[in-house]
Structures are given as C-alpha cells and as structure tokens.
C-alpha cells in the first residue's frame, strides 16, 4: 500500500518521473573536465550552476565544468551548503536528505527516510537552503502516519539544532506541496507550489507564500493561472514562474514583487519549460526546455522588453529531466 501511494504521489507532480534516471558511478577524485555535453562560455561571469548527472555533482561556471563523483547513484536535487552540498538520495521505497563533503563523500543524513519497515518508509524531496544557509526547507510525507494524509507537507529544518518543524499541510489526495523557495531578502517568507482540486475535481496549483513570523499564508497566483515553480531574483524585486494553459502549453511569466504580492505580471515566453531561475546578473535567466521528445536541456537567455532574447543552450542531449532541478549561486569572486 505504501509503495502504491508513493507511486501515485510522484506520478502527478511535474517532472518527478526523471527521478528514476541514474547509472552507476564510483567514488573518484574530484576533477575539472570539459564535459562535451555542457557549453559553459555563455554562463554569466557572476554565476555558478550546480546540478547532478548520473549520481555526480556537477558545478559549472563560465570557466568550465567540475565533476564530483559520489557513491550515490540516484543522487538528485543537489544544492551548495557552505563548502559542502546537500542532495536527495532517491531509493526504490524511500528517499533521504543527505549532506556531502566538497569531495563527494557522505557526511550525514539530515533526514533519513529509511525506517527499516517498508510500510513506514518516508519520502523527502525539494530541499532549498535559505540565503544565510542556516535553514533548509523541504517537503515530505514523514508525518502521514499521524495525520492520515499521505501527501507531502512543507517542513523547515534548523541546521544548528537539527530540529524540523512543519510549516504547511497539503490538500489531501492532491499530490501535496512542492518546490519551496526562500525569499532572498526577507528570511521569514517561503513560497511553494500548493496542489489542489477545483469543484469539478480538476487538479490545479497556486503559488502560496508563508510568513513564518506571522504564521499567515498569502496566495501569489490564482487558480486560473495554474502556476508553479516560482523563483525570486537575487535582490528579491522580481519573480519568475510557469503557468499551464488549457491546451497544456507552458508559459513563463515575470512579475514585480511588492508588499502586497505580485504586480506587473506579464508573459515572457511560451514553450516546454521547467525550473526557471534568475541569474545574479540583472535581466538574465536560466531554465530547462525540451525540444520535442528529446528530453530537457539547460538554457540561458536575456529578458529584453518583456520577452526573452539571445537564447543559448548550455547543454546538448543531456535529458536533464532525470536530474530534476538545478541551483544558481554566485561565483566565489562575487
């Protein structure tokens, strides 16, 4: 029953199917290389991009690619944490949130989904580190046995104490909450995708914002927008997100961030997109895009006069759907 429930949850969350793409890798010495599948000269000088490829931690700047092999063949969703990394180790019946050293060795499990009992295994996913790198937001079904709601709820772990706190409950049987993102300027604000059903039982999602200090929730988007995968600009003044249209096309939107929510919401592109992220250089973004059925590749583009321009592929034939999200951070010199 537990396995069936987990499969149902992950089947309806966008892009989760890629979790099962992995191949064997040994634990080797960290190396700089010229991976032919990545083209780094169009990465902005301000930016470092971190992602996973076949269990390896990949770090890219304009200067090239650094590959950090690990012994965790299904490692996904890696983010920098000071000089180390965090990531999700996806297994058949559970997943764990782990911390890795700069050389790729496992330091410890921050959240261990392996309970030793197949009926009580837990899932952890979508980790996001706050700007001060003192807290991690993530989603999990770990309290499902107590609540009888088997969808992913939103949690925050304090890295100094190791204590996690539930921040938001999911809508039952919806697939749960996904994609938590910290506001880079206000440490009390977290946005996340909230999945639910309308009166006709049609699924949709909104992007909600939770204020930890006031314990209040504010919706940044509407049911009609069916929005998901939002992200802030580094200065917290702009927000980018995706919207599903009725014809299943995906539209990328940009908006201004105000004290009352979002304003000046306007579309900037249409295509098969995933996980748009702002660069640390103004008016530039990164995102995944699929061309036909060939899988997702990583792109960069400028935002000019309300639309994207100078679109450039940073990978070829990578099928990054299997690696899920990527993280844009500042280069060490910034």
């Amino acid at each position: 029953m537990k396995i069936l429930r987990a499969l149902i949850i992950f089947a309806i969350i966008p892009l989760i199917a890629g979790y099962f793409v992995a191949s064997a890798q040994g634990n080797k010495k960290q190396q700089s290389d010229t991976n032919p599948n990545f083209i780094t000269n169009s990465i902005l000088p301000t930016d470092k991009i971190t992602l996973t490829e076949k269990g390896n931690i990949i770090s890219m700047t304009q200067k090239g690619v650094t590959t950090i092999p690990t012994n965790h063949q299904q490692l996904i969703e890696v983010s920098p944490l000071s000089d180390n990394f965090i990531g999700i180790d996806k297994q058949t019946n559970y997943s764990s949130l782990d911390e890795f050293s700069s050389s790729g060795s496992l330091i410890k499990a921050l959240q261990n989904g392996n309970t030793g009992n197949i009926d009580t295994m837990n899932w952890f996913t979508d980790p996001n580190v706050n700007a001060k790198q003192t807290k991690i937001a993530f989603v999990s079904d770990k309290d499902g046995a107590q609540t009888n709601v088997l969808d992913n709820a939103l949690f925050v772990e304090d890295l100094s104490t190791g204590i996690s706190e539930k921040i938001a409950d999911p809508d039952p049987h919806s697939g749960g909450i996904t994609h938590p993102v910290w506001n880079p300027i206000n440490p009390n604000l977290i946005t996340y995708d909230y999945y639910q059903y309308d009166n006709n039982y049609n699924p949709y999602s909104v992007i909600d914002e939770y204020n930890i200090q006031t314990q209040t929730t504010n919706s940044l988007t509407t049911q009609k927008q069916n929005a998901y995968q939002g992200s802030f600009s580094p200065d917290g003044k702009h927000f980018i997100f995706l919207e599903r249209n009725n014809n299943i096309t995906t539209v990328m939107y940009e908006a201004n961030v105000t004290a009352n929510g979002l304003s000046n919401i306007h579309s900037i592109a249409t295509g098969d997109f995933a996980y748009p992220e702002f660069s640390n250089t103004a008016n530039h973004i990164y995102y995944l895009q699929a061309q036909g059925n060939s899988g997702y590749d990583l792109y960069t583009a400028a935002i000019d006069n309300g639309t994207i321009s100078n679109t450039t592929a940073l990978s070829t034939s990578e099928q990054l759907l299997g690696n899920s999200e990527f993280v844009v951070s500042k280069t060490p010199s910034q």
Side-chain angles (χ1 to χ4, degrees):
M1 190 69 181
K2 182 77 173 182
I3 297 174
L4 177 60
R5 182 262 301 173
L7 290 175
I8 292 173
I9 290 174
F10 277 83
I12 65 175
I13 298 176
L15 307 178
I16 296 299
Y19 280 16
F20 299 98
V21 179
S23 64
Q25 289 288 326
N27 189 16
K28 305 175 184 177
K29 183 179 180 181
Q30 177 177 335
Q31 56 186 335
S32 294
D33 59 35
T34 54
N35 189 320
N37 290 340
F38 293 105
I39 306 99
T40 63
N41 57 354
S42 293
I43 296 176
L44 278 297
T46 55
D47 301 329
K48 179 174 72 173
I49 299 174
T50 304
L51 47 80
T52 57
E53 181 194 45
K54 301 174 183 177
N56 297 325
I57 300 172
I58 304 295
S59 180
M60 299 187 294
T61 67
Q62 193 178 74
K63 296 179 179 180
V65 181
T66 298
T67 302
I68 306 173
T70 76
N71 283 326
H72 296 260
Q73 300 171 5
Q74 298 190 81
L75 180 65
I76 56 175
E77 298 180 352
V78 169
S79 298
L81 179 64
S82 187
D83 294 327
N84 298 328
F85 300 92
I86 60 164
I88 298 295
D89 186 8
K90 169 70 175 60
Q91 300 299 318
T92 302
N93 299 311
Y94 69 91
S95 62
S96 297
L97 173 57
D98 294 340
E99 182 177 356
F100 294 85
S101 71
S102 58
S103 61
S105 60
L106 177 65
I107 297 176
K108 61 182 177 181
L110 299 173
Q111 297 287 333
N112 190 351
N114 186 3
T115 64
N117 183 337
I118 194 170
D119 292 324
T120 59
M121 296 290 193
N122 296 320
W123 296 98
F124 297 90
T125 188
D126 288 5
N128 190 272
V129 185
N130 68 350
K132 294 184 178 180
Q133 299 206 323
T134 57
K135 296 180 179 180
I136 298 177
F138 61 90
V139 300
S140 175
D141 65 349
K142 69 174 187 171
D143 67 342
Q146 291 76 41
T147 63
N148 291 320
V149 176
L150 304 180
D151 303 286
N152 285 334
L154 175 60
F155 295 84
V156 169
E157 177 177 344
D158 188 317
L159 291 173
S160 64
T161 64
I163 297 174
S164 62
E165 176 186 5
K166 185 167 65 173
I167 296 300
D169 287 305
D171 186 46
H173 315 298
S174 67
I177 292 170
T178 67
H179 200 64
V181 174
W182 293 93
N183 185 305
I185 303 302
N186 188 333
N188 292 313
L189 298 180
I190 304 176
T191 65
Y192 55 90
D193 301 347
Y194 187 81
Y195 286 82
Q196 55 201 298
Y197 292 94
D198 64 20
N199 294 333
N200 295 317
Y201 302 102
N202 297 310
Y204 70 96
S205 61
V206 297
I207 299 176
D208 280 348
E209 180 180 69
Y210 181 79
N211 189 314
I212 295 175
Q213 187 175 40
T214 62
Q215 299 184 352
T216 55
T217 303
N218 176 42
S219 291
L220 299 182
T221 64
T222 66
Q223 174 181 333
K224 183 179 179 180
Q225 289 172 308
N226 202 4
Y228 62 111
Q229 293 178 3
S231 182
F232 290 95
S233 62
D235 61 7
K237 295 181 179 180
H238 300 277
F239 195 74
I240 193 170
F241 64 92
L242 300 179
E243 173 187 309
R244 303 176 190 86
N245 279 346
N246 292 333
N247 60 1
I248 319 181
T249 59
T250 305
V251 182
M252 191 185 304
Y253 281 83
E254 185 189 21
N256 297 333
V257 179
T258 72
N260 298 318
L262 303 180
S263 67
N264 189 28
I265 301 173
H266 56 279
S267 63
I268 59 175
T270 301
D272 190 353
F273 302 122
Y275 300 112
E277 297 278 344
F278 280 98
S279 165
N280 289 288
T281 297
N283 300 319
H284 287 80
I285 59 172
Y286 300 93
Y287 54 91
L288 300 183
Q289 184 174 10
Q291 305 289 346
N293 296 318
S294 60
Y296 284 74
D297 274 300
L298 181 63
Y299 288 80
T300 185
I303 300 177
D304 185 22
N305 292 324
T307 187
I308 62 172
S309 63
N310 299 324
T311 300
T312 306
L314 300 179
S315 69
T316 57
S317 303
E318 266 303 289
Q319 297 188 349
L320 288 170
L321 176 63
N323 302 310
S324 193
E325 303 178 53
F326 61 95
V327 174
V328 181
S329 55
K330 289 185 178 181
T331 56
S333 60
Q334 297 301 313

